[in-house]
Amino acid sequence: MTEVDVFISNYTLVDPEIFQLWVEGHSASEAVAILNEKGLGAETGAPLELIASDVLDHYRTYSLLEKLLSSPNKLQEQLAFQIDPQTRLLLIEKYYEFDDEVIRELLGKKLSSKNRKDLDEVAEKTGKPLKSCRRQFDNVKRVFKVVEEMPGSIIENIKNLFYLPDELAKKYACIVFLACIRFETSKKKLQYLSFNSWKKCCEAIMEQWTYKITGKSCPEYYDTEMDKEFLLELRELKVLLDREKDHNLVCVSLKPKLLQKNFIDLDTNFRLYTRTILTLATALHRARDMKNLFVDLALILEYFKQGNWTVHDFELFLITYGQCALEIDVIRTDATLKSSWEKFMRVITKCLLVMYI
Amino acid sequence: MPGKVKVKISSGKNLPVMDRSSDTTDAYVEIKLGSTTYKTDVCRKSLHPQWNTDWYRFEVSSKSRKNKISCSFLSKIQLLLKESLHIPTATCCGEDMKEITATVLFASDGFTDAERTSVDDSELQDEPLQIRLMDHDTYSANDAIGKVYLNLNPLLLPVDGQLVKYGYNGDSSTHHEISGWIPVFDTMHGIRGEVNVTVKVELFSDFNRFRQSSCGVQFFYSPTVPQGYYAKVIHGFVEELLVNDDPEYQWIDKIRTPRASNEARQTLFFKLSGELQRKIGVKALNLGGNAVIGYRQSYDLEGESGIVARGIGTAVTLVKSINMSLTNANTAAEEIKEERAQNYLKFVGGDKSFRLNAAPNLLTPIPSIFSPTTILPDLTHPRYKQLSKRLYSSLDAGNLRSSHSNPGLNEDMPHSSLKILLKQEDKRGKPCYGLSQRIKNLKYSQNSLSKKMTALKSKLGDSIGEEIDEDPSLLRKRKTFKRTSSDSSVMAELLARSVLHAHNSLSCILEVQNSPPHDKNDDNDDEDGNTLEKLEPIANLLSKTVSEPNIPSDDNASEICYTSSDSSSSCSDYDYDNETLNYNNSNIDLETISNIVKDVEMIQRKNKIPLQKQYSLPALGPNRIDSYESLSENVFKFPENTCGKISVFDFNSKNDVTDERYIESMLDKTGFIGTESQVENLNVTAHVTVKKQEDDNEFDNFQGIVPEAIKDVEIKQKGLIKTAMQTMLLEKVSLMGTYTPPTSPKPKAEFFPEKSVPKSTGRLSDGSIKFEYTSSKPKIPKSASSISFCDYLEHTETVLGIPFTSIALLKSEYFKRQKSQPCLSDTTKLSSAFKSLGVEKRGIERQNCFSDTQLNKPLVKTIKTQSHDSSLNEKKRFHFLHRNRKSSESDSKQHKNIIFRIFHNKSDKSLAVEENNKLEDTFVPDHSNQNEPSPIPSPCVLTGITLHRKQNKMELTVSKVQSDKKIEQSPARLASVPCIHRRSSDSDLSITPKGNSLTGSDRSGGNPSGYFMRNNIVLRSQVHQENFDMLEYPFLTMSYFPPGFVAHIGGSVSARSVKRLEIITNVDEPESRDTWWSELRMEIRSHARSLNCNAVLGYSESSSICDDICVLSACGTAAVIDFTGSDEIEETASVSKQNCPVKDIMSVSLEREKNIMNCNKIFESPEHFTNNFITNSCTITHLPYDSNNVPIKTTATKCALCHKGKVPEVLIATIEPPDGIPSTGKGCLIESYICRPLKDVRGESIAKEISDGLPFLEYELHRLLINKLKIKGMNAIFGLKFRMSVGERMIIGIATGTAMFLSSLPSPVLPKLVSDQMSDDKKLANFQKLLYDTVKKNKEIYQIKDDVQNGRILSDDESDDEPVSVDLSTGNKDCCVLEVDDPEDEEVLRLLMEERPPDGFHVVNTESVPGLEDLEIVKNLQMFTQIYRVKFHPPFNVNNHFHRLLQSVYFKLRRMVPCALCDLQFRIDLPEPDEVQLCVFEDDLIFKLDEDQIPENSVVSTSQANQRSLKYKQRSPSKYRPHSIKQRHIPHRERHGVDITPLSYVPGGIIERYLGNLNFFFIRETTSIREEGGLSGFIHSFVTEVLAIVRAHVTALGGNAMVAFFLTEIVLLHNLHKNQGQCLINVGGDVVSVTYLKEDA
């Protein structure tokens, strides 16, 4: 019986395959089985024992590495493991990669230890190993905690602090953003949204509604914090509520493009639609309403869904709707209002389109 | 105050949370060095504290060490006092001390300072700088976070003057500091953050003679000469052993925390390591080295009996090879020397009233000009002449007593002081103060000399074609000057002492002796006036010098000397006249001499020191020179005469021959003069001095630098020569000066022209041979007459290293010339001469051996007649007879021992001179029996030099009788050596003490001067060789040697012993451990000698401890070292790749050497000689011994390449395959393992069982190894490593090596299968077929082109060396036969045919893969460690585990393919009764495997492997590339991080600088082993951390790689039930800075 079987090398060896298995949360024995099934044993003529020994070595290494991976900057400067830069990046990237499904489950949840305990539900639901869920949870939590209060571009911060690749950093940025604003994400109406959808929406919001664009007043948190001025500005859109002209403009421009059915629906319900959208806009300065943004959006979507709008038509409507408003003199004369409207509509359009599945 | 250490703590990071409430830490740092501690401020609430402290300074002359200082100081004073006052040692203890100290104190001012400093920097070396991080806690005790140990030794290196001058150049300042992030290690928690430290050391120059520190001696774990350096001189084996209590077993451990006890241990280990290194450094310094390479350090954890720290290494003088401007080096060296000398003078002679020691006084003049030194010797000489009676009177009366020397003191002083020193050294393991330092001085001077030599060499090289004469002359000049002074003084002292001794002990004899010398003197005076009219001018000169006001004392001395010299010359004449009287006298003299010699030996060593110092003296005044010359001229007679005689004997008529010989003889003279002088000195002090002077004169003449002087000399010589020539010859022969042949004008004339001719024309090819010849002759007489000879040689050699080197150079030149100019005529003559020599030797030997005077005489006569056909004169015969008589008489007088010694010495000398290993030859008969002890059949492959052979032949006849004994494998050493063996034993005993006396310590065998010279440049002089032989242990721990260094490989030798541990009562005197090892070493040495080898290479020691049983083993490779190291070899080596023969120890057959032994064959010898030198690379594989001559049975065949040499069937060696060894195909790893269960007994009985079983184990191991080798189709093993380990229930042996196919050896014979069971025929046939197929396939795989059986076919001799019929019952050892009787055997058979490593792996345990030289290593150096520990269950099949281990290594490296695993090291331990632990290191593409197995009931094996993955760039489109089955995911990476490799080089990189060596001992303990992933997880993380720490230290030192990495001593203790575990690891290596070669795209 083997009591000790340890293989240590000066330059830490990382087997991407095994590391992947480890990251995915497979136990060592599972990993051995998987590898063997993949034909490693057959290919090399190695008995299971050897594979197991190898896997165990790697697993031990990775578990020792895990501490460092939790703060990749340490990994960069640590001495315990000599890893070449490419491999290091690979390690980090793989470690911080996550499953959208799992993350989707985590969205909107408080990143507390209580929720961490409930991860088994997530695991069950997503079919991912609990270990993996925990890892993802921890990663998210860690990233969130570090970046949350940090000034500067969130994406840049994540990239700098965690040495994550661009794509991954953006994802994390969205997650962090969602968590920062505390958008309602777990309502039943929103359950259908995938993480990817969320990501797109968030990116749009972050792009348009935060201080990122304006760059004014509060530069520290510019892309995780809503542009308060802008939101207040949105209140002014109330003026649009009474304008029938708006209706006409939209209808006229859309008539030739839309399906008849949809056009009729629009024509009849235009007031309802525009009211809903404008109400949303004017209420966004309230934190609670902001949190419920996506719920509200879902409500809007429901109207169109009931009207069986095609995506194409819906998109046309949104675009036209946005543009027509600009032609109303109230907005046309007020530059601030105009830009606010544009910003608002860009995001809303994007989000609604993403959500309109 | 030698040093100041400055420490700065700037910051920390990633500290652990120590305060749970705030999740932070309030950290501060304690910095401790020695007993001084500093603390930083507390940096509150931060895990990344910033201290940014100022420099903390440790000035190392702190008061804390006062006690120590005073102690050592007192002891030193004690010493000195004893020396000066002749106080017997007994009285010098205790209370007497006070008085003594009181008396001494007045003189001690300069002294104490030096002392203090020395203590201090020794402390710097011993003590690690300890940096401890603490967490401040207001309310409770502060918690420790962790600790950092910084070894300051690397910082001490560049600062020291010697290294800076010798090795380092300018950029050394760049690594004066340690700076960087270093992990903070805690024994309970592992690494806990890092701390940023900067440490600087400022060393003040310290030239204290008495220091105990060895700052500046650089240590290399690398078993080869480090890159960028070349070893100018290889001095020999240094060793040290320390014992300490293990804190783990002290009572206090019961009450302190595990952390405290672990840290105490760690600290202790650090200190032990430092101390060990320091002491070895001191020994190296004493030997004259400036570095230690092949350093090995190991700890024996003996449990309750303590910790034993052992270190072995090879002392060398390293020179930066880049530094081509030798002149600079020379000057630098000289400067250093002078500085030192002056310092020393200041120190010693600052207070003139303080005359404790004569030696220091002698030393004092060093810096000053030549004159004083010369004077001193002169003084002694006269004393000597007059011997006891007149000694005192003469001293008193004479002007002799210069201010320097108090005659009375000098005489007795040396003895007592020596003894004391020796004692102290022995006891303390510390180098003796006075002597050692002196020796150091000598070494230094030598170094400087050697540098000069090198410079000269270079010059020579340039001018060789044109004028060789001048160069040598220059060399000689220097030599002469130095020598004269030194020699004379030393000699004088020695003589005086010896005389005194003799007087005391042998008063009667002395009386007899005394009378003749007196007569001689008188006669001399008369004769001088009469015969040597020409000398008058000289006398005038002398008188002038005398008259000179400046140096009155000198003059007196010189006069005396002169007279003495004259007298000696005259004496010879006189003696001649009164043959009968003299004859008697001579006999008497011999007796006395023999007695004296013993005493003298000791003294002489002392003398060496002064001599060396004298060397350093710049130059003589012109007057003096003249006088010297004149003297020398007078004296000159002797050497010239001897030479002339010799030459005359050989070739009376032919001028050419004579000329050559003459030159040679001159050379010989220089070499021999020492010997002769010694001999004569014994007889007559004056003679010695004269001779020395003569030498000087000779040199001068040759040089022609001082034309005038030369002219004078020549003229004088002419006159003198006439008279002296014959007389000298006779004298030499008779040594005692009994015969004085009448002066014949003829020889003079001939000689003179000869002299001039040779100078101008250059020495012809014969020169070398002649040289040897001549040397041998003088030796003979000398040996007969004087024992002192050897001693003298040592002295002179060490001291005179330079001249010898020059000689060597000359020799090499000769060789070259020989090549170009074939002189046929000479050869015949030479051969005849050789014959004669051989005959003479025989006779002598016989005499010695049998001590039959009568027999010898006739033999000699016959021999004479035979050998000296034309040349022999009646005189010669006469001489021979005389000699014989003398020898016989001496023998009869029960000086047998002495004689033996002499013989040994002689042989050694001759060897040295001749470059051949006569020593070995002589030794062979002696030691033949000694081989017995080695249980393992040691395969010896020696390539014999032709000269060797000759001599061997000669001797063999004599020794045959002795040698035929077959040695059985007996596990332990021989209890008693029979009479025949006595010689060997005697030699051991007698020689070793000498070495001791020199170094002053038994243990270290710090014998001064075995000089191996490396790189052809360096040469070995006789003396050196002598010294080397005189070394207690002629071992080298290096495993890789430059081409040409190793002449022949004899085979591996090993010795083991089983000991029971007992508590070491006195830690300061670990005598028992010392004795254990010295026993082993002696055994190894005797093995080597029995194989006719003069050195043991790749020497290593190991131990395995289980409970109270300790198995010690030592092994190495017996080899013949080529002291001359001619360039030719290198050149030719590359040219000729051919096959060489190997010999298997196990397989035996007597060969036809006998034929060769015939006189006829002797003729061949010269040819052989030249041939060997010129060409064959295969010579290295030739047997250095005669197969008949060796106690073991051997099979030897003719070399397949040259068809001349004898080669063994199988060659096994522990060293790396030498460059240029003719091999084909690739190498592969070969290993065997045997496990034997032990009975469940304890104590004595288990020890006995083990020791009984060891030989069988070893035999089995070997057999398995050989069988596997054959199945691999190869015939040589290199890099053999044995590892024995004992457990409670079993003992396991592992042998690993790299198999190669040497083309000079016969290809292996296919094993034959034999079975008793008739029914198995079919099966058997199958097996046989299988076997055959396997072998065939192996050959294909390893690309062994079989010119098959080449060796075998070519071996002209008896074909019956193959055992046709196998008689198993007789215990046939032949490996070619495999017995298949039962399933178990089949199992074995299968094992033999074990699978090969998968494609793409090249596995070897040498540093490079044989056969893959043409592949370039591309990248990815990867080192790995594998630890494997298993429960070991009763079938005890180690093989399985081993196999699995390798398989797993292969498997884990599968992504690196193609790769090579080099330097695979295995280590096996049996930690628990049921566990085996295997440890492997490897390197990928070059890699190393280290495996440990621990057997117990359950086998736990830990294997560690270091692997580097290098990718070979193949130049040849071969299959390897495509092999890479899987993509390497690490394809192209830049170099980053720290490379760690067990190799001594960095593949793909060039080592730019060596930054010191590191050695760590870490302990890690845990109480949560389950939580850490079990034992494996625990070890995994620990090893990882250890590597991390090592890398951090490497980086902090400014390096980017570590070579020669070792990981030893993985001790893993655990208790799973308690969830506890403890692990100890010892790692280390050389820190280097590497530049990587840029890759070509």
Side-chain angles (χ1 to χ4, degrees), chain A residues 4 6 8 11 14 57 82, chain B residues 1422 1425 1429 1452 1529 1538-1539:
Chain A
V4 179
V6 177
I8 301 127
Y11 291 100
V14 176
D57 276 326
Q82 243 180 185
Chain B
Q1422 176 72 293
T1425 302
R1429 180 162 168 151
K1452 283 162 188 171
H1529 71 277
V1538 175
D1539 273 328

Side-chain angles (χ1 to χ4, degrees), chain A residues 275-298:
Chain A
R275 177 171 289 274
T276 318
I277 293 171
L278 288 175
T279 311
L280 175 64
T282 54
L284 276 180
H285 63 280
R286 285 195 290 265
R288 203 191 60 215
D289 288 294
M290 179 56 86
K291 275 187 199 168
N292 284 327
L293 170 65
F294 289 96
V295 181
D296 294 339
L297 289 178

Side-chain angles (χ1 to χ4, degrees), chain B residues 863-1088:
Chain B
I863 294 167
K864 291 177 183 176
T865 56
Q866 293 175 354
S867 62
H868 307 280
D869 295 339
S870 62
S871 64
L872 282 177
N873 300 330
E874 292 177 356
K875 291 178 181 178
K876 279 196 173 183
R877 292 178 186 174
F878 204 18
H879 292 295
F880 281 109
L881 291 173
H882 216 61
R883 292 179 194 170
N884 294 334
R885 286 182 188 176
K886 289 180 182 178
S887 62
S888 64
E889 289 176 357
S890 62
D891 292 345
S892 64
K893 290 180 180 178
Q894 296 176 348
H895 296 288
K896 291 179 181 178
N897 295 335
I898 298 169
I899 295 170
F900 284 118
R901 279 192 213 161
I902 296 169
F903 269 95
H904 286 289
N905 296 333
K906 288 179 181 179
S907 59
D908 295 349
K909 291 178 180 179
S910 64
L911 288 174
V913 175
E914 295 174 354
E915 304 170 352
N916 298 334
N917 304 331
K918 290 181 180 179
L919 284 177
E920 294 176 354
D921 296 343
T922 56
F923 283 114
V924 172
D926 297 344
H927 295 282
S928 61
N929 292 332
Q930 291 182 348
N931 285 337
E932 296 174 2
S934 67
I936 299 175
S938 60
C940 307
V941 179
L942 292 182
T943 59
I945 300 173
T946 56
L947 288 176
H948 254 308
R949 289 182 183 174
K950 296 174 184 176
Q951 293 179 351
N952 290 339
K953 295 168 186 175
M954 304 300 289
E955 292 177 357
L956 287 177
T957 56
V958 177
S959 62
K960 273 184 183 178
V961 178
Q962 297 176 354
S963 65
D964 290 346
K965 292 183 180 180
K966 189 178 178 181
I967 296 171
E968 295 178 357
Q969 298 170 347
S970 64
R973 27 336 257 296
L974 303 176
S976 63
V977 181
C979 297
I980 296 173
H981 300 290
R982 218 176 145 197
R983 258 206 205 161
S984 59
S985 61
D986 287 347
S987 65
D988 284 346
L989 296 177
S990 64
I991 289 173
T992 52
K994 291 177 186 176
N996 292 340
S997 65
L998 284 177
T999 55
S1001 71
D1002 289 349
R1003 306 186 193 138
S1004 57
N1007 302 329
S1009 69
Y1011 285 80
F1012 298 76
M1013 309 297 263
R1014 203 198 175 180
N1015 293 353
N1016 321 326
I1017 304 170
V1018 192
L1019 14 149
R1020 266 276 301 107
S1021 59
Q1022 304 177 350
V1023 183
H1024 285 180
Q1025 185 155 25
E1026 166 89 350
N1027 286 339
F1028 183 65
D1029 295 326
M1030 293 303 284
L1031 274 183
E1032 191 170 11
Y1033 308 111
F1035 299 163
L1036 297 182
T1037 55
M1038 298 185 291
S1039 61
Y1040 181 76
F1041 300 92
F1045 184 82
V1046 181
H1048 306 284
I1049 297 175
S1052 71
V1053 290
S1054 71
R1056 296 177 204 294
S1057 72
V1058 181
K1059 296 289 184 188
R1060 286 194 69 199
L1061 297 176
E1062 289 164 5
I1063 306 282
I1064 298 173
T1065 51
N1066 188 353
V1067 166
D1068 291 330
E1069 302 179 31
E1071 285 178 358
S1072 62
R1073 304 300 187 272
D1074 265 344
T1075 332
W1076 293 355
W1077 288 108
S1078 56
E1079 281 172 8
L1080 271 190
R1081 290 176 190 135
M1082 281 170 61
E1083 190 176 329
I1084 289 278
R1085 182 182 55 194
S1086 64
H1087 288 337

